[in-house]
Amino acid sequence: MRSKEEIREAISAGRAVLGIEFGSTRIKAVLIDEEKSPVASGSYDWENQYVDHIWTYSMDEIWKGLQGCYSDLVKDVESQYGVKLTRLAAMGVSAMMHGYLAFDEKGELLVPFRTWRNTITGKASEKLTEVFSYHIPQRWSIAHLYQAVLNGEEHVKDVRFITTLAGFIHWQLTGQKVIGSGDAAGMFPIDIAAKDYNSTMLDQFDQLVEGQGYPWKIRELLPKVLVAGQDAGCMTEAGARLLDPSGLLEPGTPMCPPEGDAGTGMTATNSVAVRTGNVSAGTSVFAMAVLEKDLTKPYDAIDLVTTPAGDLVAMVHCNNCTSDLNAWVGLFREFAESFGMDVDMNRLFGTLYHKALEGDPDCGGLLAYNYFSGEHITGFDEGRPLFVRSPESKFNLANFMRVHLYTSLGALKTGMDILLKQEQVKLDRMMGHGGLFKTKGVGQRILAGAIDTPVYVMETAGEGGAWGIALLADYLVHQEEGESLTAYLDQKVFQNAEGSGMDPVPEDVAGYEKFMEAYTKGLAIERAAVDAGL
């Protein structure tokens, strides 16, 4: 670990690297040193707005957020090291993927930013999936554009450029209309061999809209695709003033391709190599698996994106994970407090999670659903949290906690089974991160049993996407000739990473399969509750 004096000297000399990520509720900046370790951070809290039936963030709030986050970082640098931040070795910007930012020939925004959260593109999603024979989720940029076509929206004829939030900010900082491969894969399908948009599908889209008389082809509207390590331009004078209105930050900083939050999450968990992946499990849960080859056919439950290096990734995203589990733990806290006990929540979670490991591998015949909201993988537009048992079930605390841990990953397993069983995808390891894995060894073991794959949890996984995009920026300027992103992460970032691996327990794997038989049959109970309006 470097001394404070060494870090101060590196920052003063302009050798530090900056990463900024726009999350849905927080914008975070992380400054790293030459050892790839975070040495300072800043943040800015923000919220999307629902305006005229559209989930959006205003342009003013985007720039307030960027500048506020950077200003907070600068204050942290001065507080810790007594120096002003004037130069950077490299920088990267990442953000929530997907959505729709459309601009005219003057670079003016044509309609308010339509974020990934909007579900207003159902007809476009369905039609494009049919035309491309490739699953196009509602949140993808091309679905937003085509829905605007179907709606007959006046602005479409004037569109000259569409991009994501990260692509937009990068464009304003550098003047370059480019995008990282992972983020691009949430705009339009990618040809992994060409490391570019799928040319056949580009032609199909043009044919689909050719009768509309638009003065553009889809190729002209999309940002240029770049993979990790490629030159994405440098920060201009105007860009430096946008980021730092104080005027202290010098222009000229090399910038890596802007990326989406999925790609930076994979980078931050060292999950970019083929046959690896990661599972992020908290309020919602998603899995990313890096594939050796394309899937045999499209699946509604699986999105195809790429790593920042351009390798194909299957993504299984579920709306529900730990909310119902947390609610039950809250009930146990209320019970304890009723007896005058002073409850430490970390201890309560740890005790109950570990109790689950004493339960039967199949949860003793108990069944639960954690559906606070709908779950597209199992076909629900809305949900009902449910707990179900029969007179013959083994109803005890261990099985009760175990079934709620199992069901927190039930929908995810439904999607992962498509990959692992139907498509015969091979995985050497998965990285786990998020709240489900906070109690050491429990969520990790449950996930390993669910997907019959070794699961690793690293202490650095909590650093998040801002650290991930900082690493991609560092890779841009410090990669050796021919060095892959995988090799860079393995040998220069995670070589001494502390963490633990866990192989699947055969009894857990068999028990989970038995539980899933009941889970699948019991969906009829969930459907009846929803249909009855209960």
Side-chain angles (χ1 to χ4, degrees):
M1 187 173 180
R2 308 184 79 196
S3 69
K4 183 166 284 191
E5 289 70 25
E6 289 174 316
I7 296 172
R8 179 187 298 117
E9 194 276 328
I11 294 173
S12 297
R15 298 198 300 272
V17 173
L18 175 61
I20 296 180
E21 179 157 287
F22 284 68
S24 57
T25 59
R26 173 171 289 188
I27 305 168
K28 185 175 180 181
V30 168
L31 194 71
I32 65 174
D33 64 4
E34 293 137 308
E35 292 189 349
K36 328 303 180 192
S37 299
V39 296
S41 65
S43 65
Y44 180 92
D45 292 336
W46 70 339
E47 287 285 352
N48 51 195
Q49 299 92 39
Y50 193 58
V51 181
D52 295 330
H53 307 291
I54 297 290
W55 287 107
T56 187
Y57 297 89
S58 70
M59 287 292 109
D60 286 346
E61 191 65 9
I62 289 172
W63 295 124
K64 278 176 61 180
L66 179 68
Q67 293 166 2
C69 177
Y70 180 78
S71 174
D72 196 43
L73 171 81
V74 168
K75 291 175 184 175
D76 190 38
V77 169
E78 290 191 41
S79 172
Q80 286 196 72
Y81 308 106
V83 295
K84 295 187 181 299
L85 193 58
T86 60
R87 286 185 290 162
L88 295 166
M91 179 181 164
V93 175
S94 61
M96 302 164 282
M97 293 174 64
H98 318 297
Y100 183 68
L101 280 157
F103 302 89
D104 64 16
E105 61 184 8
K106 296 180 180 178
E108 298 293 328
L109 187 69
L110 289 166
V111 290
F113 173 29
R114 299 171 182 178
T115 77
W116 63 272
R117 191 177 181 184
N118 290 285
T119 53
I120 55 176
T121 63
K123 291 183 179 179
S125 170
E126 185 178 339
K127 181 63 176 178
L128 292 174
T129 297
E130 175 192 333
V131 170
F132 294 161
S133 296
Y134 191 99
H135 179 48
I136 304 296
Q138 285 203 49
R139 60 186 181 274
W140 281 28
S141 305
I142 193 61
H144 279 277
L145 175 63
Y146 188 54
Q147 189 65 52
V149 171
L150 294 178
N151 294 346
E153 295 185 38
E154 181 68 19
H155 81 273
V156 177
K157 70 180 189 313
D158 298 320
V159 175
R160 295 298 179 270
F161 179 51
I162 62 173
T163 191
T164 63
L165 180 56
F168 166 65
I169 296 165
H170 183 93
W171 171 36
Q172 297 302 300
L173 295 181
T174 66
Q176 302 296 310
K177 295 179 178 179
V178 300
I179 193 170
S181 177
D183 207 12
M187 293 191 72
F188 195 94
I190 295 290
D191 178 342
I192 57 170
K195 309 290 189 200
D196 204 351
Y197 303 113
N198 185 297
S199 61
T200 299
M201 295 179 192
L202 290 170
D203 291 338
Q204 289 172 326
F205 185 84
D206 283 336
Q207 292 167 10
L208 193 61
V209 301
E210 64 182 354
Q212 303 290 335
Y214 297 127
W216 47 257
K217 299 290 187 183
I218 187 60
R219 286 175 174 82
E220 302 165 3
L221 305 187
L222 295 167
K224 180 181 179 181
V225 180
L226 299 176
V227 297
Q230 288 188 307
D231 177 19
C234 293
M235 190 183 300
T236 62
E237 177 70 36
R241 296 295 70 78
L242 264 177
L243 180 62
D244 180 20
S246 75
L248 286 176
L249 182 64
E250 298 175 7
T253 301
M255 293 192 63
C256 69
E259 263 301 346
D261 50 0
T264 58
M266 298 179 78
T267 303
T269 54
N270 195 21
S271 307
V272 301
V274 170
R275 294 173 65 116
T276 71
N278 73 95
V279 173
S280 175
T283 304
S284 62
V285 60
F286 65 85
M288 312 282 287
V290 188
L291 305 179
E292 296 177 279
K293 59 182 180 180
D294 206 345
L295 302 182
T296 60
K297 64 179 182 179
Y299 297 91
D300 287 344
I302 297 170
D303 299 348
L304 292 176
V305 292
T306 79
T307 70
D311 293 310
L312 190 64
V313 176
M315 180 178 185
V316 179
H317 185 278
C318 309
N319 293 334
N320 302 280
C321 187
T322 60
S323 293
D324 194 38
L325 181 59
N326 294 344
W328 283 110
V329 174
L331 189 71
F332 287 119
R333 177 187 63 184
E334 187 178 341
F335 167 79
E337 289 175 345
S338 296
F339 279 85
M341 301 178 191
D342 186 14
V343 180
D344 177 87
M345 288 305 291
N346 287 330
R347 184 182 177 191
L348 181 59
F349 268 101
T351 300
L352 292 172
Y353 273 40
H354 282 291
K355 189 68 178 178
L357 299 184
E358 300 174 16
D360 295 310
D362 66 348
C363 307
L366 304 184
L367 181 60
Y369 294 94
N370 62 333
Y371 293 6
F372 264 62
S373 63
E375 198 60 79
H376 73 283
I377 287 179
T378 50
F380 287 87
D381 292 328
E382 57 181 297
R384 298 291 185 276
L386 289 176
F387 170 65
V388 183
R389 64 187 177 102
S390 71
E392 295 78 29
S393 301
K394 296 179 183 177
F395 185 38
N396 55 44
L397 181 59
N399 282 335
F400 183 82
M401 290 308 302
R402 193 175 186 106
V403 77
H404 282 92
L405 281 165
Y406 270 30
T407 201
S408 68
L409 299 174
L412 183 80
K413 178 168 170 58
T414 303
M416 289 298 293
D417 279 352
I418 295 173
L419 294 176
L420 300 175
K421 296 177 181 179
Q422 295 184 39
E423 291 286 338
Q424 300 294 307
V425 168
K426 304 300 180 186
L427 293 173
D428 296 328
R429 61 175 167 83
M430 292 288 277
M431 307 300 302
H433 56 111
L436 185 69
F437 305 103
K438 190 173 182 180
T439 299
K440 190 171 183 179
V442 180
Q444 186 176 5
R445 176 173 164 176
I446 298 297
L447 176 61
I451 61 176
D452 195 11
T453 300
V455 174
Y456 289 74
V457 174
M458 293 185 299
E459 292 181 6
T460 52
E463 297 292 355
W467 184 53
I469 191 65
L471 292 176
L472 291 172
D474 188 84
Y475 174 63
L476 171 72
V477 292
H478 291 136
Q479 63 182 312
E480 297 176 20
E481 186 174 352
E483 182 181 36
S484 68
L485 178 61
T486 298
Y488 162 84
L489 293 174
D490 281 342
Q491 298 164 18
K492 295 180 177 177
V493 181
F494 294 98
Q495 71 276 25
N496 298 315
E498 295 184 9
S500 60
M502 185 174 289
D503 291 330
V505 177
E507 292 81 5
D508 291 349
V509 176
Y512 219 123
E513 292 298 330
K514 188 175 179 181
F515 164 77
M516 286 302 294
E517 291 177 13
Y519 182 93
T520 302
K521 291 178 182 177
L523 288 170
I525 306 170
E526 177 77 13
R527 175 63 62 197
V530 171
D531 290 347
L534 298 176

